[in-house]
């Protein structure tokens, strides 16, 4: 059977075995699209059920999370942790708290995480978790009680050599604090390396908060350099206004570009003078308010309710909000407006139709598993510091992050060249991420 025939047979089986999980199917299809050329060249990668094993999580944990709201009502949420693949190191990946979370979503994110973590060059396996809990509008006490109940069950599945969660949508420093507090209480041990994204005074790493946004911007800088240009004077549109988006904006400004628009689920703001980060942080990080408040307080900005942020003409587009937020029509608009580069700060924000359009138009496009690897890479740096009871300076940690992102860029570019598709970061990321995991799976036998 040809490489192509093998992957389409396995893909059909994956869809059958995982019915009703379209995001997971989409993530698998995107990786599989790149694998047939590897299997043609190295047929042994299809031996020993390797691809089938890669698609099946090592363990999937689903649990009840009961908690009491401020009025005393008992609410029951569902918790998930998918421990996907641990051949390169302990399961590593974030926790997402959002009402849309379900098993298929967590599996898509966990699957992506395997290749991302492999590409980072650090010794971490892939996993992801979360809950259908909606933090929006909840008080601090409610968030704390939810996190405590979530960790009361999850703690037995974690450990610094087993599984190390971090944040994702809806889970930031505050939630990691409550989760770590409950883990410490349940285990009676100060096991710093069991969670990353911790506060700086209790085992956290400098730059982890900034790392995903900074990393995505470092990656874009390398993409532009490969095209003989840089970020100076470029207009950048960044969707979202959460952790990834805020620190992408910060780094874009530091590297001489101007971030002119950002969004939340209610709409987007445009500020041609450049997004005022202090104001944005105050609204989003401190008050946890809506993006429309930005335009109310800044005369150079206007708010567009609903609509698509990708209508705003730009040189560089950084989707940093959520999956499938950039459609085929959005891609056509960006291409018409002359976009040079697109890099995914979020996980799988680009639909397959949009991805196809960018590739056909020759727009430089970086998939999330490469462009947003800076977050998890810096989590691995946090684990290194925890293991050695050390804590590094901001500048040193930022240099390490920048070097890791240059290496990820080089790994993707080099692999794409090797397979005769120079500049195809999707192919490069998928193959480079896959080969390292596959080699380790062979070495460890059928497990
Ligand atoms: N936090 C991290 O270190 C990493 C996050 N990611 C990915 O980056 C993305 C964003 O995550 P975070 O910034 O951490 O989450 P966050 O919870 O801090 O922010 C998410 C942002 O996206 C916005 N958003 C959600 N749905 C939206 C929609 N339909 N339209 C417009 N905006 C929408 C929210 O309003 C919020 O501003 C996710 O895809 C996540 O998986 C990837 C790598 C690491
Ligand atoms: O830092 C981590 O472990 C998780 C980051 C994450 O969830 C991601 O890369 O999507």
């Amino acid at each position: 059977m040809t490489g192509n025939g093998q992957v389409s047979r396995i893909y059909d089986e994956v869809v059958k075995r995982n019915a009703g999980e379209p995001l997971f199917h989409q993530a698998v299809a995107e990786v599989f699209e790149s694998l047939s050329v590897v299997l043609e060249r190295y047929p042994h990668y299809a031996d020993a059920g390797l691809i089938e094993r890669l698609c099946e999580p090592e363990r999937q944990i689903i649990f009840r999370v009961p908690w009491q709201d401020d009025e005393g009502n008992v609410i029951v949420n569902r918790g998930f942790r998918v421990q996907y693949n641990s051949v390169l190191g302990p399961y590593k990946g974030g926790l997402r708290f959002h009402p849309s979370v379900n098993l298929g979503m967590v599996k898509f994110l966990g699957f992506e995480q395997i290749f991302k973590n492999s590409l980072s060059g650090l010794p971490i396996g892939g996993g992801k978790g979360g809950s259908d809990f909606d933090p929006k509008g909840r008080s601090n006490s409610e968030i704390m009680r939810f996190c405590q109940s979530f960790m009361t069950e999850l703690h037995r599945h974690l450990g610094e050599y087993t599984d190390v969660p971090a944040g994702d949508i809806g889970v930031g420093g505050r939630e990691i604090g409550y989760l770590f507090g409950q883990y410490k209480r349940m285990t009676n041990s100060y096991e710093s390396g069991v969670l990353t994204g911790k506060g700086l005074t209790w085992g956290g790493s400098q730059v982890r908060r900034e790392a995903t946004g900074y990393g995505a911007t470092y990656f874009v800088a390398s993409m532009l350099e490969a095209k003989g240009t840089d970020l100076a004077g470029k207009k950048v549109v960044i969707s979202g206004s959460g952790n990834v988006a805020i620190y992408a904006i910060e780094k874009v400004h530091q590297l001489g570009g101007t971030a002119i628009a950002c969004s939340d689920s209610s709409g987007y703001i445009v500020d041609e003078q450049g997004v005022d980060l202090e104001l944005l942080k105050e609204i989003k990080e401190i008050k946890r308010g809506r993006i429309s408040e930005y335009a109310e307080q800044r005369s150079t900005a206007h708010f567009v309710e609903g609509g698509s942020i990708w209508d705003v003409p730009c040189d560089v587009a950084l989707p940093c909000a959520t999956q499938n937020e950039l459609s085929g029509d959005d891609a056509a608009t960006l291409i018409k407006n002359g976009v040079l580069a697109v890099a995914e700060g979020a996980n799988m924000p680009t639909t397959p139709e949009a991805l196809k359009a960018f590739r056909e138009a020759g727009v430089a496009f970086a998939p999330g598993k490469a462009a947003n690897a800076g977050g998890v890479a810096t989590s691995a740096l946090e684990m290194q510091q925890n293991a050695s009871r050390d804590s590094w300076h901001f500048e040193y940690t930022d240099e390490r992050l920048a070097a890791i992102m240059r290496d990820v860029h080089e790994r993707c570019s080099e692999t794409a060249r090797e397979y005769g598709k120079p500049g195809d970061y999707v192919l490069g990321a998928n193959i480079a991420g896959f080969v390292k995991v596959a080699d380790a799976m062979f070495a460890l036998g059928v497990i």
Side-chain angles (χ1 to χ4, degrees), residues 96 116 128 168-170 208 212 240-244 263-265 320-322 345-347 372:
R96 177 175 293 191
K116 182 192 309 192
K128 198 88 183 194
D168 189 79
I169 291 178
R208 176 61 191 91
T212 311
S241 47
N243 173 265
V244 181
S263 62
D264 65 16
S265 49
C320 294
T322 193
N347 286 309
N372 71 39

Side-chain angles (χ1 to χ4, degrees), residues 208-231:
R208 176 61 191 91
R209 182 183 56 175
E210 295 83 358
T212 311
Y214 276 22
T217 312
Y218 288 138
F219 197 94
V220 164
S222 294
M223 292 166 83
L224 293 175
E225 195 183 322
K227 284 170 117 20
T229 182
D230 58 27
L231 266 168

Side-chain angles (χ1 to χ4, degrees), residues 92-95 109 113 116-117 127-128 164-168 196-197 208 212 347 372-373 375-380:
K92 185 83 194 85
L95 297 171
L109 291 162
Q113 202 80 46
K116 182 192 309 192
N117 294 5
K128 198 88 183 194
V164 183
D168 189 79
T196 60
R208 176 61 191 91
T212 311
N347 286 309
N372 71 39
V376 77
T378 308
S379 278

Side-chain angles (χ1 to χ4, degrees), residues 261-270 290-296 301-312:
C262 63
S263 62
D264 65 16
S265 49
S266 65
Y268 64 91
I269 59 103
V270 183
R290 304 307 291 170
I291 196 75
S292 52
E293 293 170 38
Y294 180 96
E296 284 158 20
H302 66 274
F303 171 64
V304 180
E305 195 173 348
S308 171
I309 191 174
W310 310 117
D311 290 344
V312 181

Side-chain angles (χ1 to χ4, degrees), residues 55-363:
C55 293
E56 186 70 17
E58 289 173 16
R59 194 170 298 104
Q60 306 179 55
I61 301 150
I62 304 182
F63 51 99
R64 182 173 70 195
V65 190
W67 59 283
Q68 266 187 312
D69 71 11
D70 286 344
E71 280 73 51
N73 303 305
V74 172
I75 303 187
V76 179
N77 283 105
R78 189 170 286 173
F80 302 90
R81 186 72 183 166
V82 172
Q83 300 182 328
Y84 221 117
N85 191 300
S86 61
V87 284
L88 297 182
Y91 309 107
K92 185 83 194 85
L95 297 171
R96 177 175 293 191
F97 292 168
H98 192 271
S100 63
V101 168
N102 57 36
L103 183 61
M105 183 183 290
V106 179
K107 276 161 72 180
F108 122 61
L109 291 162
F111 188 73
E112 288 278 298
Q113 202 80 46
I114 303 171
F115 305 98
K116 182 192 309 192
N117 294 5
S118 163
L119 264 180
S120 77
L122 293 154
I124 38 181
K128 198 88 183 194
S131 172
D132 58 1
F133 169 68
D134 187 357
K136 222 177 250 161
R138 291 293 177 191
S139 69
N140 245 328
S141 318
E142 291 177 317
I143 299 279
M144 182 179 73
R145 285 195 294 277
F146 175 80
C147 288
Q148 289 175 341
S149 178
F150 185 85
M151 188 52 94
T152 298
E153 171 55 32
L154 189 64
H155 85 278
R156 71 188 88 249
H157 306 289
L158 305 182
E160 64 175 313
Y161 298 107
T162 308
D163 186 351
V164 183
D168 189 79
I169 291 178
V171 179
R174 173 182 59 170
E175 291 74 19
I176 294 293
Y178 296 144
L179 291 164
F180 184 65
Q182 186 70 355
Y183 183 87
K184 190 176 82 59
R185 182 188 196 189
M186 303 291 296
T187 58
N188 190 29
S189 88
Y190 206 103
E191 190 187 337
S192 303
V194 74
L195 282 168
T196 60
K198 298 182 295 297
L200 295 178
T201 54
W202 41 276
S205 173
Q206 295 283 358
V207 191
R208 176 61 191 91
R209 182 183 56 175
E210 295 83 358
T212 311
Y214 276 22
T217 312
Y218 288 138
F219 197 94
V220 164
S222 294
M223 292 166 83
L224 293 175
E225 195 183 322
K227 284 170 117 20
T229 182
D230 58 27
L231 266 168
K234 300 283 187 303
K235 286 187 176 188
V236 185
V237 167
I238 300 179
S239 63
S241 47
N243 173 265
V244 181
I246 285 176
Y247 292 97
I249 293 171
E250 185 161 289
K251 188 50 77 178
V252 163
H253 288 174
Q254 286 172 11
L255 298 185
T258 307
I260 56 166
C262 63
S263 62
D264 65 16
S265 49
S266 65
Y268 64 91
I269 59 103
V270 183
D271 186 346
E272 291 286 346
Q273 298 299 304
V275 172
D276 178 336
L277 251 192
E278 290 318 306
L279 179 57
L280 184 68
K281 283 183 184 177
E282 189 192 311
I283 293 167
K284 284 291 172 181
E285 290 188 332
I286 300 167
K287 287 171 59 192
R288 298 178 193 269
R290 304 307 291 170
I291 196 75
S292 52
E293 293 170 38
Y294 180 96
E296 284 158 20
Q297 293 181 49
R298 179 125 156 131
S299 61
T300 52
H302 66 274
F303 171 64
V304 180
E305 195 173 348
S308 171
I309 191 174
W310 310 117
D311 290 344
V312 181
C314 60
D315 304 301
V316 174
L318 299 180
C320 294
T322 193
Q323 63 277 348
N324 289 332
E325 51 152 317
L326 197 163
S327 69
D329 287 347
D330 294 328
T333 307
L334 284 164
I335 293 163
K336 180 170 67 67
N337 289 336
V339 72
L340 290 172
V342 180
E344 294 186 327
N347 286 309
M348 211 169 71
T350 311
T351 64
E353 297 73 30
L355 178 52
K356 185 163 173 277
F358 288 136
R359 276 171 142 175
E360 284 172 3
V363 172

